[in-house]
Amino acid sequence: MAKKLYILIGTRPNFIKVTRFKELAANYNFEVKIIHTGQHFDDNMANIFFDQFNLKPDYFLEVGGMSPNSQVAHIILKLEGLFHEIGKPDYLMVPGDVNSTLAGAIAANKMEVKLIHLESGLRSFDKKMPEEHNRIVADNLAQICMVTEPSGLENIKNENIQAATYHVGNTMIDTLVKHEPDIDQSTVLDDLNLEDGEFILCTFHRPSNVDEKEQLSKLVSLLTALSKVKKVVVPLHPRTTKMLKEKGMYSAIEVNEQIIVSGPIGYFEFQKLIKHSLVVITDSGGIQEETTFRQVSCLTVRENTERPITITEGTNTLVKFEEEVILGFVNQIVNKTYKTGTVPQFWDGHTTERIFEIL
Ligand code: UDP
């Protein structure tokens, strides 16, 4: 009989990490079901990805729009209800580090379902980040830890976590490799009147960068300064748009003809922009990895990263939120004196297969 692997997802980066499991399941005698918590639920943060990846969730827990506490509580209860209804799987897999990850880990533990943490072992060592707590809990409750980079193995060992741990690589890169033809077909460059290597791509959404007025005015000033170097494309996370509008700063970006500002965009379009950008400036987790894979320069505006391999082997540099520092690096990139990188081990498009083989 086929083994049952259920995968609990809730947010944009989750969706992008699990696109190949259903497709490959039959080759390994697995039955895969996707459970979507609804943490991200609107068209441009969720549905567009289900359409682009042809990834239809089998069950929907509808916890969108709740406070983090309510969300976690409802996911636990609804997952318990669902498992009573359809039966427990052999494995529950939770990717990443969001509220859905935490809730799924707790539910699996209480219901004695074997838990797999996908993208395990990453640590920013910054307890101010909610993601760090979610990662630590998920790793400690997991029976199986699937790790993207060697720092993950080290962190699991140092914290004396007892799970079976495997360095399998990066399923986000599986998605990218598989969909490269779709990405190449995107017309986004023509649509936005952009030329290869002639624009800067920016994304910002971490609370530390966008929740305070002072940080937001630094962001507006940075985008304005960058727009004097090259065109700037800014597909904003809903959180950032909301904060900019609330503080009356959105129009300062919108009126600048050198800045193309929009809401979040589809995966194929976003990947095409990464591929052809001069540099990506971001505070995202996953984008640090995608730029490293593509060997596109990346400046990460954060105090720390849970993905150190993107710095030691990849094209990423951590930068302080200081305009002069960032412009200095952009200058190096324009002058081609910025570092180049290599692609980390197992970031090869075959991580999902390795995971099935282990299971
Ligand atoms: N992404 C996208 N459209 C956008 C911005 C990002 O498809 O407008 C993708 C991006 O390529 C990456 C993922 O969303 O795969 C990263 O998500 P996010 O930055 O929200 O989360 P984090 O990785 O920081 O947890």
Side-chain angles (χ1 to χ4, degrees):
M1 223 171 72
K3 280 197 179 165
K4 289 189 166 74
L5 169 67
Y6 292 0
I7 305 177
L8 186 79
I9 52 175
T11 63
R12 174 170 72 183
N14 283 175
F15 311 144
I16 295 166
K17 287 165 196 163
V18 304
T19 62
R20 304 220 52 212
F21 285 93
K22 259 199 168 179
E23 172 202 342
L24 294 167
N27 302 351
Y28 297 89
N29 199 23
F30 265 85
E31 181 197 345
V32 169
K33 297 257 186 238
I34 304 279
I35 307 167
H36 174 30
T37 65
Q39 190 178 335
H40 284 169
F41 56 90
D42 54 2
D43 283 343
N44 54 16
M45 290 298 280
N47 295 338
I48 188 166
F49 301 102
F50 300 140
D51 288 343
Q52 290 193 326
F53 302 136
N54 196 15
L55 180 82
K56 299 279 172 280
D58 299 281
Y59 304 101
F60 184 36
L61 305 185
E62 293 180 84
V63 304
M66 297 180 186
S67 71
N69 263 328
S70 302
Q71 225 160 38
V72 170
H74 278 87
I75 294 168
I76 294 171
L77 288 173
K78 289 189 168 191
L79 207 52
E80 184 180 61
L82 181 69
F83 287 173
H84 280 143
E85 192 186 316
I86 63 172
K88 292 195 288 186
D90 296 286
Y91 302 99
L92 180 72
M93 179 184 281
V94 292
D97 53 24
V98 295
N99 291 335
S100 302
T101 316
L102 172 70
I106 294 171
N109 178 263
K110 296 295 173 204
M111 294 194 77
E112 297 183 345
V113 171
K114 269 196 189 141
L115 179 71
I116 305 169
H117 187 203
L118 179 66
E119 196 190 80
S120 168
L122 297 181
R123 295 289 182 270
S124 65
F125 301 102
D126 180 355
K127 293 274 177 69
K128 292 189 297 299
M129 292 178 77
E131 297 93 331
E132 185 75 351
H133 300 272
N134 297 341
R135 292 180 194 119
I136 291 172
V137 175
D139 284 341
N140 277 279
L141 295 180
Q143 278 70 46
I144 305 178
C145 287
M146 299 294 184
V147 171
T148 52
E149 59 164 90
S151 74
L153 292 177
E154 232 168 90
N155 295 329
I156 296 272
K157 193 165 156 232
N158 291 343
E159 292 173 27
N160 201 20
I161 289 169
Q162 299 300 313
T165 304
Y166 303 93
H167 179 197
V168 289
N170 196 324
T171 54
M172 226 177 186
I173 303 302
D174 287 10
T175 302
L176 198 159
V177 169
K178 157 94 190 194
H179 289 285
E180 198 69 343
D182 301 311
I183 293 162
D184 286 336
Q185 273 177 26
S186 160
T187 57
V188 68
L189 294 186
D190 291 340
D191 298 347
L192 300 179
N193 204 9
L194 296 168
E195 280 170 41
D196 182 38
E198 292 298 320
F199 62 93
I200 297 171
L201 179 61
C202 294
T203 76
F204 285 87
H205 71 282
R206 291 252 113 68
S208 57
N209 283 335
V210 305
D211 277 7
E212 300 295 330
K213 189 166 183 186
E214 197 192 329
Q215 295 302 98
L216 282 174
S217 49
K218 275 166 97 173
L219 177 59
V220 172
S221 169
L222 172 67
L223 294 175
T224 309
L226 290 171
S227 74
K228 292 176 187 149
V229 182
K230 296 275 174 194
K231 274 191 185 168
V232 183
V233 186
V234 204
L236 287 176
H237 192 282
R239 176 188 200 106
T240 316
T241 307
K242 180 169 165 270
M243 296 308 294
L244 282 167
K245 285 189 173 161
E246 263 176 39
K247 307 284 180 207
M249 293 186 209
Y250 189 80
S251 56
I253 303 176
E254 212 180 12
V255 294
N256 186 328
E257 286 183 356
Q258 291 300 104
I259 302 179
I260 303 170
V261 62
S262 72
I265 58 174
Y267 178 80
F268 301 155
E269 295 75 19
F270 192 77
Q271 287 303 321
K272 178 118 177 193
L273 289 177
I274 292 185
K275 192 169 175 180
H276 294 277
S277 63
L278 171 73
V279 49
V280 180
I281 305 179
T282 188
D283 58 13
S284 161
I287 295 169
Q288 298 171 57
E289 296 180 337
E290 291 165 340
T291 45
T292 275
F293 178 79
R294 293 201 177 279
Q295 302 184 290
V296 166
S297 308
C298 180
L299 304 176
T300 299
V301 186
R302 283 176 45 187
E303 298 284 327
N304 46 57
T305 178
E306 59 290 321
R307 295 161 159 90
I309 204 164
T310 62
I311 296 177
T312 53
E313 289 189 21
T315 49
N316 187 25
T317 301
L318 280 185
V319 290
K320 287 207 181 312
F321 206 153
E322 284 171 17
E323 208 167 293
E324 288 311 309
V325 175
I326 297 172
L327 287 173
F329 277 109
V330 171
N331 234 333
Q332 282 183 27
I333 294 161
V334 170
N335 297 330
K336 302 199 185 321
T337 55
Y338 184 73
K339 70 173 176 179
T340 51
T342 53
V343 178
Q345 189 185 17
F346 301 140
W347 292 20
D348 57 358
H350 297 291
T351 297
T352 310
E353 283 128 299
R354 275 191 285 276
I355 290 173
F356 272 124
E357 265 155 33
I358 289 165
L359 296 182

